[in-house]
Amino acid sequence: MSTLTAATETPPTASGRPAYRVTGRRVVASEWAKLFSLRSSWIVLALSLLFVVGFGLIAALRYRSEIGSGQMDPDFARQNAVGLSLFGTNFAQLVLGVLGVLVTAGEYSTGMIRSTLAAVPRRLPVLWSKAAVTGLVALVVATIGAFVAFLLGSRVVAGTPGAIGFAHQGVVRSLLGAGLYLCLVAVIGTALGALLRSVAGAISALVAGLMLIPGLITLLPSAWHDGISPYLPSNAGASMFAVTRDPATLTPGTGLLVLLAWTALTLAAAAYRLRRADA
């Protein structure tokens, strides 16, 4: 009698490498690590904090020294502690906008974007994660800077007509609004970097949108200027952190909605190009 020996198939040896899945949390963690591994990120964040606090303190000191001289500009004389403390916002918006540009366009300039998109083939989670990380970091830094600038500035102008405290209506809302405005500017910079894929081009577009176009709008007839100017990103953002509202500007809530619309528009354009065009 013959005995048939069944051949035992040896199961394939399982690989010792763990199986990784691309998840939103891991993409965000990756972008967080990339942001803080660059020296330029630390420098830009330090500069933004310095601009908010430093220029706010300089404005408060100038107000204090000139308030009784009779030579102060009338518009400057009507400022209060919040407006003086947030004077550096106009400079910090460019710095944090550039941070957003570097987060996206910087990868295109170095070619690192190919590795990023190879690791995250669906692409769009990369854009959302970059925008979320950059916006969150900008929000924290800008809000801290706004409150520190107000604490220092309010002490400098104490005892003057511009002195107000935290208990004054609209102060806390204005300081939080300044932080939120700078956060959204950083997100817009991130979207512009992904849309234009050029550091120089995206920074130029950012400067044009925040500073150049508002200046050119003043050349239009007054009826056109009054209808367009409040809805520009920088003017809509300024209405978010103004303690007292000028009749020609938007309300803080409307200004926030307008700036959110601009942010969503640039993100949508960046997402469309990211999906359609090769890296």
Side-chain angles (χ1 to χ4, degrees), residues 6-220:
T8 304
E9 295 183 359
T10 304
T13 304
S15 174
R17 297 172 58 187
Y20 289 106
R21 294 178 60 248
V22 177
T23 63
R25 182 181 63 82
R26 285 172 174 161
V27 177
V28 170
S30 173
E31 296 303 328
W32 182 276
K34 283 193 286 187
L35 177 66
F36 286 105
S37 64
L38 298 175
R39 184 182 303 174
S40 59
S41 299
W42 292 97
I43 294 174
V44 170
L45 290 173
L47 283 176
S48 64
L49 190 61
L50 177 63
F51 284 172
V52 173
V53 177
F55 282 103
L57 186 58
I58 290 172
L61 290 170
R62 179 192 167 193
Y63 179 90
R64 179 79 185 193
S65 64
E66 296 182 359
I67 189 60
S69 64
Q71 301 177 352
M72 186 184 296
D73 181 80
D75 292 334
F76 192 67
R78 288 193 293 268
Q79 290 289 339
N80 53 46
V82 175
L84 296 169
S85 301
L86 298 181
F87 183 77
T89 304
N90 293 327
F91 302 93
Q93 67 181 354
L94 296 179
V95 178
L96 290 174
V98 168
L99 174 66
V101 170
L102 293 176
V103 166
T104 47
E107 287 201 23
Y108 281 96
S109 64
T110 60
M112 186 178 176
I113 190 64
R114 298 186 184 92
S115 300
T116 299
L117 297 182
V120 189
R122 293 179 61 188
R123 295 193 173 192
L124 289 186
V126 173
L127 178 61
W128 309 144
S129 298
K130 287 181 181 295
V133 169
T134 308
L136 177 61
V137 171
L139 176 64
V140 172
V141 172
T143 303
I144 291 174
F147 275 87
V148 171
F150 178 74
L151 286 173
L152 297 176
S154 60
R155 292 192 177 190
V156 171
V157 301
T160 67
I164 56 176
F166 279 109
H168 190 280
Q169 183 179 4
V171 169
V172 175
R173 188 264 306 160
S174 297
L175 298 177
L176 293 176
L180 183 56
Y181 168 64
L182 294 176
C183 160
L184 293 176
V185 168
V187 174
I188 289 175
T190 305
L192 287 175
L195 175 63
L196 301 179
R197 302 185 175 185
S198 165
V199 173
I203 291 176
S204 299
L206 181 72
V207 173
L210 295 179
M211 303 186 71
L212 181 60
I213 294 178
L216 294 176
I217 290 295
T218 60
L219 302 177
L220 295 175

Side-chain angles (χ1 to χ4, degrees), residues 248-262:
T249 63
L250 303 176
T251 63
T254 305
L256 174 59
L257 292 177
V258 170
L259 191 60
L260 285 173
W262 281 109

